[in-house]
């Protein structure tokens, strides 16, 4: 049995199938870990969701910001943006079934020494705390409360974690960290404007994973979201967003031996 972690798919169904062929993936014995942003910007989110849903328990995935955007649009709490490619999915006859399946996915997943998240973890959170916080938000997303919460889901404040946070502000911080964060201050205050690579990070900010006191260092974090970072591998970090939707490539890594597989995305 092998476990293949795959970067942001963003509706690139054909490249996903090409990557599975390249890895030799076998759905009867292997597993897929997906870092989120399954849908949007690419050409065929509809077929991709159908394929993933059909794979059943073979797939372990977390939600990304584009996935949450789709759910908010479907709930009537957000509008499609320029560049979105979600309309065919929203218009499909099986749209409700697919969206209900998507709503039931996790925000964070932890197994043995690995943790799976779309964007990152705030430095104050150890993996056990992150799992509990994610479950709070997952319960909202999975419930009828999501339609109301999704109206206030967006926003950059609060921009740091406090244990005293409650309700929508608390849930927004959790979502922002796990689906939007790239850099933060040495004290753990998130910055959402910076989207470039490591070389141009402004003074006073650090990649979330380089905060010296980060509590989740005991786990190997598997994440995506940061396409300008690209493939970034360290002993306890696996970054997999290599910009498939931006004519980069789609990347998978076999967790058992860290062998990397890539297909170009023209």
């Amino acid at each position: 049995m092998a476990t293949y972690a795959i970067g942001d798919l963003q509706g690139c169904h054909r490249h996903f199938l090409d990557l599975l062929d390249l890895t030799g993936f076998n759905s009867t014995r292997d597993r897929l870990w997906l870092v989120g942003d399954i849908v949007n910007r690419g050409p065929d989110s509809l077929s991709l969701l159908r394929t993933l849903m059909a794979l059943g328990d073979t797939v372990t995935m977390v939600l990304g910001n584009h996935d949450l955007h789709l759910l908010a649009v479907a709930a009537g709490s957000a509008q499609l943006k320029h560049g979105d490619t979600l309309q065919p999915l929203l218009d499909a006859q099986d749209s409700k079934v697919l969206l209900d399946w998507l709503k039931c996915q996790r925000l964070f997943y932890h197994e043995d020494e690995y943790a799976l998240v779309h964007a990152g973890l705030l430095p104050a959170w150890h993996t056990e705390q992150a799992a509990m916080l994610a479950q709070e938000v997952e319960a909202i997303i999975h419930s009828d409360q999501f339609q109301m919460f999704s109206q206030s889901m967006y926003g950059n404040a609060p921009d740091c974690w406090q244990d005293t946070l409650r309700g929508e502000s608390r849930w927004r911080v959790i979502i922002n960290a796990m689906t939007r964060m790239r850099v933060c201050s040495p004290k753990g205050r998130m910055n959402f404007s910076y989207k470039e690579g490591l070389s141009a990070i402004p003074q006073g900010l650090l990649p979330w994973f380089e905060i010296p006191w980060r509590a989740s260092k005991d786990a190997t974090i598997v994440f995506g979201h940061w396409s300008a970072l690209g493939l970034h591998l360290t002993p306890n970090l696996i970054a997999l967003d290599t910009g498939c939707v931006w004519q980069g490539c789609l990347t998978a890594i076999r967790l058992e031996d860290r062998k990397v597989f890539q297909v170009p995305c023209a």
Side-chain angles (χ1 to χ4, degrees):
M1 182 183 80
T3 302
Y4 297 97
I6 299 179
D8 301 39
L9 292 169
Q10 294 204 238
C12 296
H13 182 240
R14 179 173 63 82
H15 298 108
F16 172 65
L17 298 180
D18 290 344
L19 186 60
L20 293 189
D21 287 342
L22 180 65
T23 63
F25 171 76
N26 186 323
S27 62
T28 64
R29 65 168 187 262
D30 298 331
R31 303 170 65 196
L32 297 177
W33 282 21
L34 307 180
V35 300
D37 273 4
I38 302 302
V39 301
N40 207 14
R41 300 298 176 90
D44 201 354
S45 298
L46 175 59
S47 295
L48 183 54
L49 275 191
R50 286 171 174 165
T51 296
L52 294 178
M53 185 174 171
L55 285 169
D57 293 339
T58 299
V59 174
T60 297
M61 63 166 281
V62 291
L63 295 169
N65 52 299
H66 281 281
D67 308 316
L68 290 174
H69 173 56
L70 167 62
L71 294 176
V73 170
S77 303
Q79 300 294 319
L80 291 176
K81 303 175 183 178
H82 177 72
D84 286 348
T85 58
L86 297 170
Q87 197 63 57
L89 172 53
L90 293 166
D91 292 340
Q93 290 186 345
D94 56 347
S95 177
K96 185 180 186 307
V97 173
L98 296 169
L99 293 172
D100 286 347
W101 177 83
L102 189 65
K103 280 184 68 175
C104 291
Q105 304 309 307
R106 298 175 173 93
L107 201 61
F108 175 81
Y109 180 71
H110 187 205
E111 180 180 312
D112 299 327
E113 72 270 31
Y114 291 102
L116 182 68
V117 69
H118 178 60
L121 299 179
L122 280 170
W125 297 343
H126 53 73
T127 50
E128 291 78 9
Q129 183 182 12
M132 291 187 292
L133 295 175
Q135 288 170 9
E136 289 183 33
V137 177
E138 289 163 6
I140 301 299
I141 296 172
H142 300 170
S143 74
D144 293 338
Q145 297 181 60
F146 178 72
Q147 196 280 333
M148 181 172 294
F149 168 59
S150 61
Q151 298 177 31
S152 57
M153 180 172 66
Y154 298 103
N156 294 341
D159 61 3
C160 62
W161 177 251
Q162 300 176 46
D163 289 332
T164 55
L165 288 170
R166 294 292 181 268
E168 293 177 352
S169 295
R170 179 183 178 92
W171 303 331
R172 191 182 306 118
V173 171
I174 297 168
I175 284 176
N176 281 343
M178 293 188 180
T179 71
R180 296 181 60 209
M181 178 176 63
R182 296 180 181 90
V183 296
C184 55
S185 75
K187 293 185 177 181
R189 191 172 297 276
M190 293 180 283
N191 175 287
F192 300 108
S193 61
Y194 185 76
K195 300 181 180 180
E196 304 304 317
L198 293 179
S199 62
I201 295 177
Q203 187 174 2
L205 296 175
L206 290 169
W208 64 268
F209 49 82
E210 290 187 1
I211 301 298
W213 54 278
R214 177 168 66 88
S216 58
K217 287 182 178 180
D218 60 331
T220 298
I221 310 295
V222 183
F223 70 104
H225 182 60
W226 195 348
S227 60
L229 176 65
L231 181 65
H232 187 78
L233 306 177
T234 70
N236 66 347
L237 202 76
I238 299 176
L240 292 173
D241 184 2
T242 47
C244 181
V245 79
W246 307 117
Q247 299 184 1
C249 60
L250 184 62
T251 299
I253 186 169
R254 190 165 56 206
L255 296 183
E256 288 75 15
D257 61 2
R258 290 210 173 193
K259 181 175 180 179
V260 172
F261 304 83
Q262 293 185 313
V263 295
C265 301

